[in-house]
Short mmCIF file of all heavy atoms in Angstrom, two decimals:
data_model
loop_
_atom_site.label_atom_id
_atom_site.label_comp_id
_atom_site.label_asym_id
_atom_site.label_seq_id
_atom_site.Cartn_x
_atom_site.Cartn_y
_atom_site.Cartn_z
N MET A 1 0.45 -11.97 -9.20
CA MET A 1 0.41 -11.61 -7.80
C MET A 1 0.90 -10.18 -7.62
O MET A 1 1.88 -9.78 -8.22
CB MET A 1 1.28 -12.58 -7.01
CG MET A 1 1.47 -12.21 -5.58
SD MET A 1 2.58 -13.35 -4.76
CE MET A 1 1.57 -13.75 -3.37
N MET A 2 0.20 -9.42 -6.83
CA MET A 2 0.60 -8.05 -6.55
C MET A 2 1.58 -8.01 -5.37
O MET A 2 1.40 -8.73 -4.40
CB MET A 2 -0.60 -7.18 -6.22
CG MET A 2 -1.46 -6.87 -7.40
SD MET A 2 -0.52 -5.95 -8.60
CE MET A 2 -1.80 -5.47 -9.69
N LYS A 3 2.55 -7.17 -5.50
CA LYS A 3 3.53 -6.95 -4.43
C LYS A 3 3.39 -5.50 -3.98
O LYS A 3 3.26 -4.59 -4.80
CB LYS A 3 4.96 -7.19 -4.93
CG LYS A 3 5.20 -8.59 -5.44
CD LYS A 3 5.28 -9.54 -4.28
CE LYS A 3 5.64 -10.93 -4.79
NZ LYS A 3 5.93 -11.84 -3.75
N TYR A 4 3.44 -5.29 -2.68
CA TYR A 4 3.24 -3.95 -2.13
C TYR A 4 4.49 -3.37 -1.48
O TYR A 4 4.41 -2.41 -0.73
CB TYR A 4 2.10 -3.98 -1.11
CG TYR A 4 0.79 -4.41 -1.72
CD1 TYR A 4 0.31 -5.70 -1.56
CD2 TYR A 4 0.05 -3.51 -2.48
CE1 TYR A 4 -0.88 -6.09 -2.15
CE2 TYR A 4 -1.14 -3.90 -3.08
CZ TYR A 4 -1.60 -5.19 -2.91
OH TYR A 4 -2.77 -5.57 -3.50
N TYR A 5 5.65 -3.90 -1.82
CA TYR A 5 6.88 -3.39 -1.23
C TYR A 5 7.10 -1.91 -1.59
O TYR A 5 7.68 -1.16 -0.81
CB TYR A 5 8.10 -4.23 -1.64
CG TYR A 5 8.47 -4.11 -3.09
CD1 TYR A 5 9.36 -3.13 -3.52
CD2 TYR A 5 7.92 -4.97 -4.04
CE1 TYR A 5 9.68 -3.01 -4.86
CE2 TYR A 5 8.24 -4.86 -5.37
CZ TYR A 5 9.12 -3.88 -5.78
OH TYR A 5 9.43 -3.76 -7.11
N LYS A 6 6.60 -1.49 -2.76
CA LYS A 6 6.73 -0.09 -3.15
C LYS A 6 6.00 0.83 -2.18
O LYS A 6 6.45 1.94 -1.90
CB LYS A 6 6.18 0.13 -4.57
CG LYS A 6 7.05 -0.40 -5.66
CD LYS A 6 6.40 -0.07 -6.99
CE LYS A 6 7.36 -0.09 -8.12
NZ LYS A 6 6.74 0.39 -9.38
N LEU A 7 4.87 0.37 -1.67
CA LEU A 7 4.12 1.14 -0.69
C LEU A 7 4.96 1.39 0.55
O LEU A 7 5.07 2.52 1.03
CB LEU A 7 2.82 0.41 -0.32
CG LEU A 7 2.05 0.94 0.88
CD1 LEU A 7 1.59 2.38 0.66
CD2 LEU A 7 0.86 0.04 1.18
N PHE A 8 5.57 0.34 1.06
CA PHE A 8 6.33 0.46 2.30
C PHE A 8 7.63 1.22 2.08
O PHE A 8 8.10 1.94 2.97
CB PHE A 8 6.53 -0.92 2.91
CG PHE A 8 5.20 -1.60 3.16
CD1 PHE A 8 4.86 -2.77 2.49
CD2 PHE A 8 4.26 -1.04 4.00
CE1 PHE A 8 3.62 -3.37 2.69
CE2 PHE A 8 3.02 -1.62 4.21
CZ PHE A 8 2.70 -2.80 3.54
N ASP A 9 8.22 1.11 0.88
CA ASP A 9 9.39 1.93 0.54
C ASP A 9 9.02 3.40 0.49
O ASP A 9 9.76 4.25 0.98
CB ASP A 9 9.98 1.50 -0.80
CG ASP A 9 10.69 0.16 -0.75
OD1 ASP A 9 10.99 -0.32 0.35
OD2 ASP A 9 10.93 -0.41 -1.84
N LEU A 10 7.86 3.70 -0.10
CA LEU A 10 7.39 5.08 -0.19
C LEU A 10 7.17 5.66 1.20
O LEU A 10 7.56 6.80 1.48
CB LEU A 10 6.10 5.15 -1.02
CG LEU A 10 5.47 6.52 -1.20
CD1 LEU A 10 6.40 7.47 -1.95
CD2 LEU A 10 4.14 6.39 -1.94
N LEU A 11 6.56 4.88 2.07
CA LEU A 11 6.34 5.36 3.44
C LEU A 11 7.67 5.68 4.11
O LEU A 11 7.81 6.72 4.75
CB LEU A 11 5.59 4.30 4.26
CG LEU A 11 4.13 4.07 3.90
CD1 LEU A 11 3.59 2.88 4.68
CD2 LEU A 11 3.29 5.31 4.16
N THR A 12 8.65 4.80 3.96
CA THR A 12 9.96 5.01 4.57
C THR A 12 10.62 6.27 4.03
O THR A 12 11.15 7.08 4.80
CB THR A 12 10.87 3.79 4.30
OG1 THR A 12 10.26 2.63 4.88
CG2 THR A 12 12.25 3.99 4.91
N ARG A 13 10.56 6.47 2.72
CA ARG A 13 11.16 7.66 2.11
C ARG A 13 10.50 8.95 2.61
O ARG A 13 11.15 9.99 2.66
CB ARG A 13 11.07 7.60 0.59
CG ARG A 13 12.03 6.62 -0.04
CD ARG A 13 12.12 6.82 -1.54
NE ARG A 13 10.81 6.89 -2.16
CZ ARG A 13 10.22 5.92 -2.84
NH1 ARG A 13 10.81 4.76 -2.97
NH2 ARG A 13 9.03 6.09 -3.39
N ARG A 14 9.23 8.86 2.98
CA ARG A 14 8.52 10.04 3.48
C ARG A 14 8.58 10.17 5.00
O ARG A 14 7.93 11.03 5.60
CB ARG A 14 7.05 9.99 3.04
CG ARG A 14 6.91 10.14 1.53
CD ARG A 14 5.48 10.25 1.14
NE ARG A 14 5.34 10.40 -0.30
CZ ARG A 14 4.21 10.62 -0.92
NH1 ARG A 14 3.09 10.71 -0.23
NH2 ARG A 14 4.17 10.73 -2.23
N GLY A 15 9.35 9.30 5.64
CA GLY A 15 9.48 9.37 7.09
C GLY A 15 8.24 8.91 7.83
O GLY A 15 7.99 9.36 8.94
N MET A 16 7.48 8.03 7.19
CA MET A 16 6.24 7.53 7.78
C MET A 16 6.40 6.07 8.16
O MET A 16 7.35 5.40 7.74
CB MET A 16 5.09 7.69 6.78
CG MET A 16 4.85 9.11 6.33
SD MET A 16 3.67 9.22 4.98
CE MET A 16 2.14 9.07 5.89
N LYS A 17 5.45 5.59 8.94
CA LYS A 17 5.42 4.17 9.33
C LYS A 17 4.15 3.54 8.79
O LYS A 17 3.19 4.23 8.44
CB LYS A 17 5.44 4.06 10.85
CG LYS A 17 6.71 4.60 11.46
CD LYS A 17 6.70 4.44 12.95
CE LYS A 17 8.00 5.00 13.49
NZ LYS A 17 8.12 4.82 14.92
N LYS A 18 4.14 2.21 8.76
CA LYS A 18 2.96 1.48 8.31
C LYS A 18 1.72 1.91 9.10
O LYS A 18 0.64 2.05 8.55
CB LYS A 18 3.14 -0.03 8.49
CG LYS A 18 4.10 -0.66 7.54
CD LYS A 18 4.17 -2.16 7.80
CE LYS A 18 5.20 -2.82 6.95
NZ LYS A 18 5.25 -4.27 7.19
N THR A 19 1.90 2.14 10.38
CA THR A 19 0.77 2.49 11.23
C THR A 19 0.13 3.83 10.85
O THR A 19 -1.02 4.07 11.20
CB THR A 19 1.18 2.51 12.71
OG1 THR A 19 2.30 3.38 12.87
CG2 THR A 19 1.53 1.11 13.19
N ASP A 20 0.85 4.67 10.11
CA ASP A 20 0.26 5.92 9.63
C ASP A 20 -0.90 5.66 8.69
O ASP A 20 -1.79 6.50 8.54
CB ASP A 20 1.30 6.80 8.95
CG ASP A 20 2.34 7.33 9.92
OD1 ASP A 20 1.98 7.61 11.08
OD2 ASP A 20 3.51 7.47 9.53
N LEU A 21 -0.91 4.50 8.05
CA LEU A 21 -1.99 4.15 7.13
C LEU A 21 -3.28 3.80 7.86
O LEU A 21 -4.34 3.74 7.24
CB LEU A 21 -1.58 2.97 6.24
CG LEU A 21 -0.48 3.24 5.22
CD1 LEU A 21 -0.11 1.94 4.51
CD2 LEU A 21 -0.92 4.30 4.23
N LEU A 22 -3.20 3.60 9.17
CA LEU A 22 -4.40 3.23 9.92
C LEU A 22 -5.44 4.33 9.95
O LEU A 22 -6.58 4.08 10.32
CB LEU A 22 -4.02 2.80 11.35
CG LEU A 22 -3.24 1.49 11.44
CD1 LEU A 22 -2.81 1.23 12.88
CD2 LEU A 22 -4.06 0.32 10.89
N SER A 23 -5.06 5.52 9.53
CA SER A 23 -6.06 6.60 9.45
C SER A 23 -6.96 6.44 8.22
O SER A 23 -8.00 7.07 8.14
CB SER A 23 -5.38 7.97 9.44
OG SER A 23 -4.56 8.10 8.30
N VAL A 24 -6.55 5.57 7.27
CA VAL A 24 -7.37 5.37 6.06
C VAL A 24 -7.76 3.92 5.81
O VAL A 24 -8.67 3.66 5.04
CB VAL A 24 -6.67 5.95 4.80
CG1 VAL A 24 -6.61 7.45 4.87
CG2 VAL A 24 -5.32 5.34 4.58
N VAL A 25 -7.07 2.98 6.43
CA VAL A 25 -7.42 1.55 6.28
C VAL A 25 -7.46 0.90 7.66
O VAL A 25 -6.88 1.39 8.61
CB VAL A 25 -6.44 0.78 5.37
CG1 VAL A 25 -6.41 1.36 3.97
CG2 VAL A 25 -5.04 0.74 5.95
N SER A 26 -8.13 -0.23 7.73
CA SER A 26 -8.24 -0.95 9.01
C SER A 26 -6.97 -1.75 9.28
O SER A 26 -6.18 -2.01 8.38
CB SER A 26 -9.44 -1.89 8.97
OG SER A 26 -9.22 -2.93 8.03
N ALA A 27 -6.81 -2.15 10.52
CA ALA A 27 -5.66 -2.96 10.91
C ALA A 27 -5.62 -4.29 10.15
O ALA A 27 -4.54 -4.69 9.69
CB ALA A 27 -5.66 -3.18 12.43
N PRO A 28 -6.74 -4.99 10.00
CA PRO A 28 -6.70 -6.24 9.21
C PRO A 28 -6.29 -6.01 7.75
O PRO A 28 -5.56 -6.82 7.17
CB PRO A 28 -8.12 -6.78 9.30
CG PRO A 28 -8.68 -6.20 10.55
CD PRO A 28 -8.05 -4.83 10.65
N THR A 29 -6.71 -4.90 7.17
CA THR A 29 -6.33 -4.58 5.79
C THR A 29 -4.84 -4.28 5.71
O THR A 29 -4.16 -4.73 4.79
CB THR A 29 -7.15 -3.38 5.26
OG1 THR A 29 -8.53 -3.74 5.27
CG2 THR A 29 -6.72 -3.00 3.87
N LEU A 30 -4.32 -3.57 6.67
CA LEU A 30 -2.89 -3.28 6.71
C LEU A 30 -2.10 -4.58 6.84
O LEU A 30 -1.06 -4.75 6.19
CB LEU A 30 -2.57 -2.32 7.85
CG LEU A 30 -1.12 -1.88 7.98
CD1 LEU A 30 -0.62 -1.25 6.68
CD2 LEU A 30 -0.96 -0.92 9.14
N ALA A 31 -2.59 -5.50 7.63
CA ALA A 31 -1.93 -6.80 7.78
C ALA A 31 -1.93 -7.56 6.46
O ALA A 31 -0.93 -8.17 6.08
CB ALA A 31 -2.62 -7.62 8.87
N LYS A 32 -3.04 -7.50 5.72
CA LYS A 32 -3.12 -8.14 4.41
C LYS A 32 -2.09 -7.56 3.46
O LYS A 32 -1.42 -8.29 2.73
CB LYS A 32 -4.51 -7.98 3.80
CG LYS A 32 -5.56 -8.88 4.35
CD LYS A 32 -6.85 -8.67 3.59
CE LYS A 32 -7.93 -9.62 4.03
NZ LYS A 32 -9.14 -9.46 3.23
N LEU A 33 -1.98 -6.24 3.44
CA LEU A 33 -1.00 -5.60 2.57
C LEU A 33 0.41 -6.02 2.94
O LEU A 33 1.25 -6.26 2.07
CB LEU A 33 -1.14 -4.07 2.66
CG LEU A 33 -2.39 -3.47 2.04
CD1 LEU A 33 -2.54 -2.01 2.45
CD2 LEU A 33 -2.36 -3.60 0.53
N SER A 34 0.69 -6.11 4.23
CA SER A 34 2.02 -6.51 4.69
C SER A 34 2.37 -7.93 4.26
O SER A 34 3.53 -8.25 4.02
CB SER A 34 2.10 -6.41 6.21
OG SER A 34 1.96 -5.07 6.62
N LYS A 35 1.35 -8.77 4.15
CA LYS A 35 1.54 -10.17 3.75
C LYS A 35 1.44 -10.36 2.24
O LYS A 35 1.60 -11.47 1.75
CB LYS A 35 0.51 -11.06 4.43
CG LYS A 35 0.63 -11.11 5.94
CD LYS A 35 -0.50 -11.92 6.52
CE LYS A 35 -0.52 -11.85 8.03
NZ LYS A 35 -1.68 -12.54 8.59
N GLY A 36 1.13 -9.28 1.51
CA GLY A 36 0.99 -9.38 0.06
C GLY A 36 -0.30 -10.03 -0.39
O GLY A 36 -0.40 -10.53 -1.51
N GLU A 37 -1.30 -10.01 0.48
CA GLU A 37 -2.59 -10.61 0.14
C GLU A 37 -3.44 -9.62 -0.66
O GLU A 37 -3.12 -8.44 -0.75
CB GLU A 37 -3.31 -11.03 1.42
CG GLU A 37 -2.58 -12.13 2.17
CD GLU A 37 -3.25 -12.51 3.47
OE1 GLU A 37 -4.32 -11.95 3.80
OE2 GLU A 37 -2.70 -13.37 4.18
N THR A 38 -4.53 -10.12 -1.22
CA THR A 38 -5.38 -9.28 -2.06
C THR A 38 -6.13 -8.24 -1.24
O THR A 38 -6.41 -8.44 -0.05
CB THR A 38 -6.40 -10.13 -2.84
OG1 THR A 38 -7.23 -10.83 -1.90
CG2 THR A 38 -5.73 -11.10 -3.77
N THR A 39 -6.45 -7.15 -1.91
CA THR A 39 -7.23 -6.09 -1.30
C THR A 39 -8.10 -5.46 -2.39
O THR A 39 -7.90 -5.72 -3.57
CB THR A 39 -6.32 -5.03 -0.63
OG1 THR A 39 -7.12 -4.12 0.09
CG2 THR A 39 -5.47 -4.31 -1.64
N THR A 40 -9.04 -4.66 -2.00
CA THR A 40 -9.97 -4.07 -2.97
C THR A 40 -9.37 -2.80 -3.60
O THR A 40 -8.46 -2.18 -3.03
CB THR A 40 -11.30 -3.69 -2.31
OG1 THR A 40 -11.07 -2.65 -1.36
CG2 THR A 40 -11.93 -4.89 -1.63
N THR A 41 -9.93 -2.43 -4.73
CA THR A 41 -9.49 -1.18 -5.36
C THR A 41 -9.88 0.03 -4.52
O THR A 41 -9.20 1.05 -4.55
CB THR A 41 -10.06 -1.04 -6.78
OG1 THR A 41 -11.47 -1.20 -6.74
CG2 THR A 41 -9.45 -2.06 -7.72
N ASP A 42 -10.94 -0.09 -3.73
CA ASP A 42 -11.33 0.99 -2.83
C ASP A 42 -10.21 1.30 -1.84
O ASP A 42 -9.90 2.46 -1.56
CB ASP A 42 -12.61 0.66 -2.06
CG ASP A 42 -13.85 0.67 -2.94
OD1 ASP A 42 -13.80 1.30 -4.02
OD2 ASP A 42 -14.85 0.06 -2.54
N VAL A 43 -9.61 0.26 -1.30
CA VAL A 43 -8.50 0.43 -0.37
C VAL A 43 -7.32 1.10 -1.07
O VAL A 43 -6.71 2.03 -0.54
CB VAL A 43 -8.07 -0.93 0.25
CG1 VAL A 43 -6.74 -0.81 0.97
CG2 VAL A 43 -9.15 -1.44 1.18
N LEU A 44 -7.01 0.63 -2.26
CA LEU A 44 -5.90 1.22 -3.01
C LEU A 44 -6.16 2.69 -3.31
O LEU A 44 -5.25 3.53 -3.22
CB LEU A 44 -5.66 0.44 -4.30
CG LEU A 44 -5.26 -1.02 -4.10
CD1 LEU A 44 -5.19 -1.73 -5.44
CD2 LEU A 44 -3.95 -1.14 -3.34
N CYS A 45 -7.40 3.03 -3.64
CA CYS A 45 -7.76 4.43 -3.89
C CYS A 45 -7.59 5.28 -2.63
O CYS A 45 -7.09 6.41 -2.71
CB CYS A 45 -9.20 4.53 -4.39
SG CYS A 45 -9.42 3.95 -6.07
N LYS A 46 -7.99 4.76 -1.49
CA LYS A 46 -7.83 5.49 -0.23
C LYS A 46 -6.36 5.75 0.06
O LYS A 46 -5.97 6.84 0.49
CB LYS A 46 -8.45 4.72 0.92
CG LYS A 46 -9.95 4.72 0.92
CD LYS A 46 -10.49 3.88 2.07
CE LYS A 46 -11.99 3.77 2.02
NZ LYS A 46 -12.52 2.92 3.10
N ILE A 47 -5.53 4.74 -0.16
CA ILE A 47 -4.09 4.88 0.10
C ILE A 47 -3.48 5.90 -0.86
O ILE A 47 -2.70 6.76 -0.46
CB ILE A 47 -3.38 3.52 -0.01
CG1 ILE A 47 -3.83 2.61 1.14
CG2 ILE A 47 -1.86 3.69 0.01
CD1 ILE A 47 -3.37 1.17 1.01
N CYS A 48 -3.84 5.80 -2.14
CA CYS A 48 -3.31 6.75 -3.13
C CYS A 48 -3.74 8.18 -2.81
O CYS A 48 -2.94 9.11 -2.95
CB CYS A 48 -3.75 6.35 -4.54
SG CYS A 48 -2.88 4.91 -5.18
N ASP A 49 -4.97 8.34 -2.38
CA ASP A 49 -5.46 9.67 -2.01
C ASP A 49 -4.69 10.19 -0.80
O ASP A 49 -4.25 11.34 -0.78
CB ASP A 49 -6.95 9.63 -1.73
CG ASP A 49 -7.54 11.00 -1.47
OD1 ASP A 49 -7.29 11.91 -2.28
OD2 ASP A 49 -8.25 11.15 -0.46
N PHE A 50 -4.50 9.34 0.19
CA PHE A 50 -3.79 9.71 1.42
C PHE A 50 -2.34 10.10 1.12
O PHE A 50 -1.81 11.06 1.68
CB PHE A 50 -3.85 8.55 2.41
CG PHE A 50 -3.12 8.77 3.69
CD1 PHE A 50 -3.58 9.68 4.63
CD2 PHE A 50 -1.98 8.04 3.99
CE1 PHE A 50 -2.91 9.88 5.83
CE2 PHE A 50 -1.30 8.23 5.18
CZ PHE A 50 -1.76 9.15 6.10
N LEU A 51 -1.69 9.34 0.24
CA LEU A 51 -0.28 9.58 -0.06
C LEU A 51 -0.06 10.47 -1.28
O LEU A 51 1.08 10.77 -1.62
CB LEU A 51 0.44 8.24 -0.28
CG LEU A 51 0.51 7.32 0.93
CD1 LEU A 51 1.10 5.97 0.55
CD2 LEU A 51 1.33 7.96 2.05
N ASP A 52 -1.16 10.86 -1.93
CA ASP A 52 -1.09 11.67 -3.14
C ASP A 52 -0.14 11.03 -4.16
O ASP A 52 0.87 11.61 -4.55
CB ASP A 52 -0.65 13.10 -2.82
CG ASP A 52 -0.83 14.03 -4.02
OD1 ASP A 52 -1.74 13.78 -4.85
OD2 ASP A 52 -0.05 14.99 -4.13
N CYS A 53 -0.48 9.80 -4.55
CA CYS A 53 0.36 9.05 -5.48
C CYS A 53 -0.51 8.24 -6.43
O CYS A 53 -1.74 8.24 -6.31
CB CYS A 53 1.31 8.15 -4.73
SG CYS A 53 0.51 6.82 -3.80
N GLN A 54 0.11 7.54 -7.34
CA GLN A 54 -0.57 6.67 -8.29
C GLN A 54 -0.43 5.21 -7.85
O GLN A 54 0.52 4.86 -7.13
CB GLN A 54 0.06 6.84 -9.69
CG GLN A 54 -0.17 8.21 -10.29
CD GLN A 54 -1.64 8.45 -10.56
OE1 GLN A 54 -2.33 7.61 -11.13
NE2 GLN A 54 -2.13 9.60 -10.14
N PRO A 55 -1.33 4.33 -8.30
CA PRO A 55 -1.23 2.91 -7.92
C PRO A 55 0.12 2.29 -8.25
O PRO A 55 0.64 1.48 -7.48
CB PRO A 55 -2.35 2.25 -8.72
CG PRO A 55 -3.37 3.32 -8.89
CD PRO A 55 -2.57 4.59 -9.06
N SER A 56 0.72 2.70 -9.36
CA SER A 56 2.03 2.14 -9.72
C SER A 56 3.13 2.55 -8.74
O SER A 56 4.19 1.93 -8.71
CB SER A 56 2.42 2.56 -11.14
OG SER A 56 2.53 3.97 -11.22
N ASP A 57 2.87 3.58 -7.94
CA ASP A 57 3.83 4.02 -6.92
C ASP A 57 3.80 3.12 -5.69
O ASP A 57 4.74 3.16 -4.88
CB ASP A 57 3.54 5.45 -6.49
CG ASP A 57 3.72 6.46 -7.59
OD1 ASP A 57 4.56 6.23 -8.49
OD2 ASP A 57 3.00 7.48 -7.58
N ILE A 58 2.72 2.34 -5.53
CA ILE A 58 2.58 1.56 -4.30
C ILE A 58 2.50 0.05 -4.53
O ILE A 58 2.53 -0.73 -3.57
CB ILE A 58 1.35 2.00 -3.48
CG1 ILE A 58 0.05 1.77 -4.26
CG2 ILE A 58 1.50 3.45 -3.05
CD1 ILE A 58 -1.20 1.96 -3.43
N MET A 59 2.40 -0.38 -5.79
CA MET A 59 2.30 -1.82 -6.02
C MET A 59 2.90 -2.19 -7.36
O MET A 59 3.12 -1.34 -8.22
CB MET A 59 0.86 -2.30 -5.94
CG MET A 59 -0.03 -1.73 -6.98
SD MET A 59 -1.72 -2.29 -6.68
CE MET A 59 -2.48 -1.74 -8.19
N GLU A 60 3.19 -3.49 -7.49
CA GLU A 60 3.78 -4.01 -8.71
C GLU A 60 3.27 -5.42 -8.95
O GLU A 60 3.14 -6.20 -8.00
CB GLU A 60 5.29 -4.02 -8.57
CG GLU A 60 6.04 -4.54 -9.76
CD GLU A 60 7.53 -4.42 -9.57
OE1 GLU A 60 8.12 -5.34 -8.95
OE2 GLU A 60 8.11 -3.42 -10.00
N TYR A 61 2.98 -5.73 -10.20
CA TYR A 61 2.53 -7.07 -10.56
C TYR A 61 3.73 -7.97 -10.80
O TYR A 61 4.70 -7.58 -11.46
CB TYR A 61 1.66 -7.03 -11.82
CG TYR A 61 1.27 -8.41 -12.29
CD1 TYR A 61 0.32 -9.14 -11.61
CD2 TYR A 61 1.90 -8.98 -13.39
CE1 TYR A 61 -0.03 -10.42 -12.03
CE2 TYR A 61 1.55 -10.25 -13.81
CZ TYR A 61 0.59 -10.96 -13.13
OH TYR A 61 0.27 -12.21 -13.53
N GLU A 62 3.67 -9.16 -10.23
CA GLU A 62 4.74 -10.14 -10.41
C GLU A 62 4.11 -11.48 -10.75
O GLU A 62 3.18 -11.92 -10.07
CB GLU A 62 5.56 -10.26 -9.14
CG GLU A 62 6.75 -11.17 -9.25
CD GLU A 62 7.53 -11.19 -7.96
OE1 GLU A 62 8.28 -10.23 -7.70
OE2 GLU A 62 7.37 -12.17 -7.20
N LYS A 63 4.59 -12.10 -11.81
CA LYS A 63 4.06 -13.43 -12.20
C LYS A 63 4.45 -14.49 -11.22
O LYS A 63 5.44 -14.44 -10.57
CB LYS A 63 4.58 -13.81 -13.58
CG LYS A 63 3.93 -13.01 -14.67
CD LYS A 63 4.37 -13.53 -16.01
CE LYS A 63 3.69 -12.74 -17.10
NZ LYS A 63 3.96 -13.25 -18.41
#
């Protein structure tokens, strides 16, 4: 299972809010990320491009 707490920690460290991601992802997708639900690699690429980071900076695999 993927966990996205790193994404929200990164946003906080940069003085951003979850809603700042709405410029690159839809509201339903943001809700999925908040709940730890699955998302596409396209979404992850958009977020990484927006935040200028790597996937490992925004998510972590947990058994």
Side-chain angles (χ1 to χ4, degrees):
M1 172 183 231
M2 288 298 191
K3 300 287 185 171
Y4 299 101
Y5 69 89
K6 286 182 159 187
L7 169 61
F8 303 116
D9 288 344
L10 179 62
L11 289 173
T12 299
R13 286 193 311 258
R14 293 187 180 185
M16 301 172 80
K17 297 181 180 183
K18 289 181 184 181
T19 54
D20 292 326
L21 292 175
L22 292 175
S23 62
V24 292
V25 300
S26 67
T29 298
L30 182 56
K32 282 184 176 184
L33 290 168
S34 296
K35 295 176 188 175
E37 295 177 2
T38 60
T39 188
T40 66
T41 53
D42 289 340
V43 167
L44 298 174
C45 288
K46 287 178 185 178
I47 292 170
C48 287
D49 186 50
F50 178 70
L51 296 174
D52 191 29
C53 66
Q54 293 295 312
S56 62
D57 296 330
I58 63 170
M59 63 185 190
E60 180 176 85
Y61 175 74
E62 184 178 283
K63 288 186 179 185

